[in-house]
Amino acid sequence: MFMITKHIPNTITSLNLFSGSVGVVMAFQANYQAALACMLLAAVFDFCDGLAARALHAYSPIGKELDSLADVVSFGFLPATMVYQLLTGALDNAYLPFAAYILTVFSALRLAKFNVDERQTSSFIGLATPANAIFWAGLTASYHQYAEAYPYALLVLVLLMSLLLVAEVPFFSLKFKNLKWKDNGIRFIFLIVSVVLLLVLQLDAFMWIILVYILMALAAWGVAALQKK
């Protein structure tokens, strides 16, 4: 029985990778809604593999490495391909659209840092790759017409988001050790705002949800920095 259960987390991680790979194909076909759906499915599998590993006590070095490799595809290569497609349609230059893959490079760096950084057990240092990916997928799926109208602003945004991935800035996670408002106020506020955005904007909400998350994290970091002075 143990021999079967120990492979369950890695199987779920493999489904993350499969979903991300299908999403890349959808992105190259400019089927952005399908690419977003594949990414969200990959994010669900990414959450569930860790949950399964903890529940089944099925940790392994291979699982850790496989998880990072899957995330590079689903949350690094897939969003970059979506942006590449946007830039290809918006720019006459044949080379500038490849700048989108800066996102893939910095996503890989972010994942490598996470694997060796022991500070990131209950929160993150730098923007997590799934959050970054969902921002781009939401932007591309819901607002691609606006994004294509401002390709150079899109390139600047690629650089800014890439820097956030590796920045020494704390970002709160959604891990709850308890349900006390004192310890989880920022998490509760974020979840409430996210639900409201989903109710109002539905599938168009994903970009805004991640933007709210980034702004809340940066504001909390700024307040903490001022309190230390």
Side-chain angles (χ1 to χ4, degrees), residues 40-216:
L40 294 176
L41 189 60
V44 170
F45 287 132
D46 185 51
F47 174 79
C48 290
D49 63 2
L51 201 65
R54 289 189 291 272
L56 299 171
H57 302 287
Y59 301 101
S60 70
I62 290 178
K64 183 178 180 181
E65 299 302 323
L66 180 62
D67 184 69
S68 294
L69 293 170
D71 286 356
V72 168
V73 174
S74 297
F75 309 126
F77 189 62
L78 172 52
T81 300
M82 297 176 80
V83 178
Y84 169 81
Q85 284 294 97
L86 287 181
L87 292 172
T88 300
L91 293 168
D92 292 330
N93 190 291
Y95 302 103
L96 273 179
F98 288 107
Y101 289 101
I102 293 172
L103 289 168
T104 305
V105 174
F106 277 83
S107 294
L109 287 171
R110 168 75 182 84
L111 290 162
K113 285 184 66 178
F114 178 81
N115 284 347
V116 299
D117 193 341
E118 296 180 355
R119 296 173 297 170
Q120 302 187 57
T121 53
S122 59
S123 61
F124 302 115
I125 305 297
L127 181 64
T129 51
N132 176 65
I134 291 171
F135 171 84
W136 288 108
L139 171 64
T140 306
S142 299
Y143 304 102
H144 58 91
Q145 292 178 332
Y146 301 102
E148 287 174 347
Y150 303 97
Y152 292 101
L154 202 60
L155 287 169
V156 172
L157 192 56
V158 165
L159 294 176
L160 290 175
M161 295 295 283
S162 296
L163 291 174
L164 278 180
L165 285 166
V166 296
E168 286 290 309
V169 176
F171 282 81
F172 61 91
S173 74
L174 294 180
K175 295 178 180 178
F176 288 82
K177 293 183 178 179
N178 57 61
L179 295 178
K180 295 179 181 177
W181 180 271
K182 179 183 176 182
D183 299 327
N184 301 291
I186 193 169
R187 295 177 178 86
F188 285 127
I189 293 170
F190 171 68
L191 288 174
I192 291 168
V193 172
S194 297
V195 170
V196 171
L197 287 171
L198 282 169
L199 290 173
V200 174
L201 299 175
Q202 298 179 8
L203 291 178
D204 294 336
F206 291 108
M207 182 194 77
W208 300 110
I209 288 171
I210 301 303
L211 185 60
V212 166
Y213 171 72
I214 292 171
L215 292 175
M216 288 181 66

